């Protein structure tokens, strides 16, 4: 296989971390809220100015960047969503998968399926992107109980990051132990070809650099700690399992290990942006996954992720090539059989 080799086990830090937290009592949300606009003004006798309330956002879009609003997805609400689902299926998933663009056919492989459209699940956001069916599929793959998101939520759809990631917390409360994120991404590393697979060794959280993090806002210790480490976000043991599957499938020539980054989208990158990312050591770029992994690590899930290199990132000006969503979806369809086999065997070895 191409790329760096995995190092020793580090499961201990993710195991157990959340279990302790989930048993603890709620902390007081109300005290940690950031000041809203207009609050905190009016010192020294001057009356505080209050802004007129903003007009309501469209139905699926929450007001952006409001840590306060995060409390609308309290532990109790997430628990309610999980209980709603558990009361309607006998499947008790230990593996949770997010299917990336064009990769939704993975869920079709499940046996004994129970399917929930996002719009039928209380408090759930809805998908608006082509290539994301918008349903949660429970079932069994290789005898392992699994829940698959056929369609994820992206920041560019208008959702704040904590809302994009709420289903990850639902997975946690469903009993999931292993979290697998898949995505379509542009290949920056010159060795990568369209159709290759990149196992995520690490990520660069660019949106997080600017403070846009799904964990922003009041922390509920029942999910996880205020300051979670991210140094082993991609579980080294799971990377090793994936590498052993790759070896046995004899597909090492198309599989790499590398660094992913998520940008806000929805526009693809300019050549100058791509050259900058390359310079920084990024191997593949997309518009998802990073915040999902942050949320999953925070609540103690063991994480694994891979990118399907759906298009080449072109850094030269004198070219006709342009990134486009059709190519991204087509590459997913083209690689579906290999990816399905890879995931099925991976799951069997991890939890079979
Ligand atoms: O990351 P996923 O959802 O696989 O999709 C990727 O493909 C879309 C762009 O073509 C963006 O949504 C980008 O994030």
């Amino acid at each position: 296989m191409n790329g760096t080799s995995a190092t020793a086990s580090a499961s201990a830090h993710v195991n157990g971390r959340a279990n302790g937290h989930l048993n603890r009592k709620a902390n007081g949300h109300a005290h940690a809220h950031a000041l809203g606009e207009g609050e905190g003004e009016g010192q020294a006798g001057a009356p505080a100015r209050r802004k007129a309330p903003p007009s309501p956002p469209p139905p699926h879009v929450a007001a952006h960047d409001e840590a306060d609003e995060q409390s609308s997805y309290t532990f109790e609400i997430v628990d309610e969503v999980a209980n709603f689902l558990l009361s309607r299926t006998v499947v008790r998933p230990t593996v949770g998968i997010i299917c990336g663009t064009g990769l939704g056919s993975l869920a079709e492989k499940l046996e004994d399926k129970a399917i929930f459209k996002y719009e039928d699940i209380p408090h759930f956001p809805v998908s608006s992107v082509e290539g994301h069916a918008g349903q949660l599929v429970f079932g069994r793959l290789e005898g392992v109980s699994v829940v698959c998101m056929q369609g994820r939520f992206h920041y560019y759809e208008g959702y704040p990051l904590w809302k994009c990631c709420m289903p990850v917390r639902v997975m946690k409360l469903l009993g999931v132990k292993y979290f697998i994120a898949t995505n379509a991404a542009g290949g920056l590393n010159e060795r990568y070809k369209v159709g290759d697979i990149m196992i995520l060794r690490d990520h660069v959280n660019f949106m997080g650099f600017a403070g846009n993090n799904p964990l922003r806002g009041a922390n509920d210790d029942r999910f996880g700690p205020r300051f979670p480490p991210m140094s082993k976000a991609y579980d080294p043991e799971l990377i090793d399992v994936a590498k052993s599957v790759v070896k046995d499938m004899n597909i090492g020539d198309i599989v790499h290990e590398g660094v992913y980054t998520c940008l806000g989208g929805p526009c693809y990158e300019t050549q100058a942006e791509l050259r900058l990312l390359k310079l920084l050591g990024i191997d593949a770029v997309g518009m998802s996954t990073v915040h999902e992994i942050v949320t999953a690590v925070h609540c103690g899930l063991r994480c694994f992720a891979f990118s399907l290199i759906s298009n080449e990132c072109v850094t030269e000006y004198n070219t006709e090539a342009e990134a486009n969503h059709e190519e991204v979806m087509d590459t997913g369809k083209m690689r579906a059989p290999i990816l399905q086999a890879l995931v099925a065997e991976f799951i069997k070895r991890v939890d079979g």
Side-chain angles (χ1 to χ4, degrees):
M1 188 171 80
N2 298 311
T4 54
S5 63
T7 51
S9 151
S11 57
H13 81 285
V14 265
N15 281 336
R17 171 165 63 199
N19 297 341
H21 291 116
L22 285 169
N23 292 331
R24 277 157 68 179
K25 285 202 98 158
N27 59 357
H29 276 275
H31 305 301
H33 288 166
L35 288 178
E37 259 186 287
E39 289 175 89
E41 294 178 7
Q43 299 144 358
R49 269 189 298 124
R50 292 227 160 255
K51 287 187 88 173
S55 53
H60 79 286
V61 179
H64 249 208
D65 205 26
E66 290 291 338
D68 270 358
E69 214 210 326
Q70 191 171 357
S71 53
S72 64
Y73 274 157
T74 56
F75 186 95
E76 285 71 22
I77 293 281
V78 179
D79 201 36
E80 184 190 327
V81 178
N83 286 330
F84 171 89
L85 295 164
L86 289 172
S87 66
R88 286 162 177 79
T89 173
V90 292
V91 178
R92 294 292 175 264
T94 50
V95 176
I97 305 175
I98 299 189
C99 302
T101 298
L103 305 174
S105 60
L106 190 66
E108 283 152 28
K109 289 279 153 201
L110 302 193
E111 287 163 9
D112 306 325
K113 285 196 272 290
I115 300 177
F116 301 87
K117 296 220 152 290
Y118 292 161
E119 65 250 36
D120 296 334
I121 307 173
H123 310 290
F124 230 68
V126 290
S127 284
S128 66
V129 184
E130 207 186 335
H132 290 259
Q135 54 192 25
L136 207 52
V137 184
F138 289 70
R140 288 186 187 82
L141 191 60
E142 293 291 336
V144 179
S145 295
V146 169
V147 58
C148 270
M149 281 182 76
Q150 252 186 338
R152 59 156 50 90
F153 308 110
H154 303 85
Y155 188 68
Y156 63 75
E157 290 174 77
Y159 295 118
L161 291 182
W162 52 264
K163 199 160 198 169
C164 293
C165 301
M166 172 266 213
V168 175
R169 289 182 164 175
V170 171
M171 286 182 183
K172 173 72 189 183
L173 299 194
L174 288 172
V176 162
K177 303 272 176 275
Y178 302 99
F179 174 68
I180 304 174
T182 72
N183 63 61
L188 274 162
N189 187 312
E190 275 162 23
R191 290 185 298 116
Y192 295 6
K193 293 189 281 301
V194 170
D196 283 0
I197 296 162
M198 184 188 85
I199 294 172
L200 272 68
R201 150 65 57 201
D202 207 343
H203 69 225
V204 174
N205 186 358
F206 270 116
M207 296 169 78
F209 280 10
N212 192 0
N213 190 300
L215 306 180
R216 180 172 177 264
N219 187 62
D220 190 325
D221 285 359
R222 289 173 294 181
F223 285 120
R226 171 75 289 184
F227 300 111
M230 286 292 143
S231 50
K232 289 181 181 128
Y234 299 86
D235 191 302
E237 275 186 339
L238 298 186
I239 293 177
D240 275 349
V241 172
K243 284 161 76 170
S244 72
V245 175
V246 166
K247 186 160 176 270
D248 295 345
M249 285 176 69
N250 204 17
I251 55 169
D253 55 329
I254 61 159
V255 180
H256 315 270
E257 228 181 301
V259 177
Y260 173 90
T261 200
C262 164
L263 301 183
C267 53
Y268 295 107
E269 301 72 34
T270 65
Q271 279 94 335
E273 288 164 348
L274 292 171
R275 282 201 294 269
L276 175 69
L277 294 176
K278 227 175 183 173
L279 211 65
L280 296 174
I282 311 290
D283 298 301
V285 56
M287 307 172 194
S288 69
T289 303
V290 167
H291 36 278
E292 297 158 358
I293 295 289
V294 167
T295 304
V297 171
H298 177 249
C299 67
L301 296 177
R302 296 183 66 180
C303 297
F304 174 75
F306 67 79
S307 297
L308 174 64
I309 303 302
S310 56
N311 57 289
E312 195 190 333
C313 289
V314 181
T315 52
E316 302 305 321
Y317 287 117
N318 57 350
T319 173
E320 292 292 299
E322 276 193 321
N324 68 87
H325 194 58
E326 280 66 41
E327 184 186 8
V328 172
M329 289 190 293
D330 288 348
T331 313
K333 279 183 208 129
M334 186 258 287
R335 274 294 186 232
I338 284 186
L339 294 172
Q340 282 164 9
L342 173 64
V343 172
E345 186 58 29
F346 173 80
I347 286 173
K348 192 162 83 177
R349 292 190 194 185
V350 163
D351 203 41

